[in-house]
Amino acid sequence: MSDSISHRVGAFILRKNAKNSFELLLFKPANIAGAPVRVPGGGIEPGESAEEALHREIDEESGLKNLKIIRKLGTLERCWIDTQKTVCRHYYLLETQSMTPDSWDYIVQGEGQDAGLCFSFFWHRPTPLFKLEGGASAFLNPTLIPELYEDIPIYLTKLPALALKA
């Protein structure tokens, strides 16, 4: 991977709820007012594949292990105006293989810039109006993740998206 571009991963993690519908794992930093809701992810270290980074980042940020990769959703490349740095984020769809709590707090492990922060995780059943901040929303739709929208009437999947305010 090129040194001039920072490569990162993002994880859309699903689980089946008690109603047998899929939910999406989201988090926000605990005790930081106005922090956006996000999906897990982070940087790819030298010599590491995107899939290895994906599993490492999920474990470091949430404590979840042994997740099944369903498919790669795609990549998104962005150039940040303030830093003039280009970031290429590889997004994947994964599913939990075991029961997980409905919500939990986790102290981030590892050596990254978020190490030691407390993240508050929760499962969310998004509607077509739900929108994540930043580039991740490009992948949150019925075409790329139909599992999340299986029981939503098709006409509702055509509505404009609204950002979730935490």
Side-chain angles (χ1 to χ4, degrees):
M1 297 189 186
S2 171
D3 290 335
S4 63
I5 297 175
S6 171
H7 288 270
R8 304 181 68 75
V9 292
F12 286 85
I13 303 171
L14 304 180
R15 77 159 186 184
K16 286 240 178 163
N17 63 19
K19 297 178 182 177
N20 209 33
S21 297
F22 281 106
E23 296 175 311
L24 176 65
L25 182 64
L26 300 171
F27 78 93
K28 66 178 194 163
N31 304 319
I32 299 178
V37 173
R38 305 185 326 212
V39 295
I44 300 174
E45 295 178 355
E48 190 175 44
S49 72
E51 292 83 5
E52 290 168 334
L54 184 69
H55 288 290
R56 177 185 48 76
E57 286 289 345
I58 292 167
D59 181 28
E60 287 177 0
E61 291 185 355
S62 70
L64 293 177
K65 299 178 187 321
N66 303 317
L67 300 178
K68 176 184 173 188
I69 295 177
I70 298 171
R71 64 184 166 271
K72 184 172 184 177
L73 297 173
T75 59
L76 181 68
E77 195 168 292
R78 298 177 77 174
C79 180
W80 295 98
I81 294 172
D82 56 342
T83 63
Q84 296 299 304
K85 303 267 185 196
T86 300
V87 175
C88 180
R89 191 173 296 263
H90 305 262
Y91 285 97
Y92 290 83
L93 183 65
L94 300 96
E95 185 176 356
T96 59
Q97 299 298 295
S98 59
M99 295 299 296
T100 57
D102 290 337
S103 62
W104 71 96
D105 288 343
Y106 192 79
I107 304 297
V108 179
Q109 306 299 303
E111 299 175 11
Q113 66 185 29
D114 54 4
L117 292 178
C118 182
F119 287 167
S120 294
F121 287 88
F122 60 97
W123 295 98
H124 179 68
R125 179 86 175 127
T127 68
L129 297 178
F130 175 79
K131 183 175 169 73
L132 293 166
E133 292 187 6
S137 283
F139 299 96
L140 187 58
N141 62 66
T143 301
L144 292 176
I145 311 178
E147 297 90 338
L148 279 173
Y149 304 93
E150 288 174 338
D151 56 354
I152 296 175
I154 190 67
Y155 68 89
L156 290 178
T157 65
K158 306 296 183 195
L159 297 173
L162 301 174
L164 173 73
K165 298 298 179 190

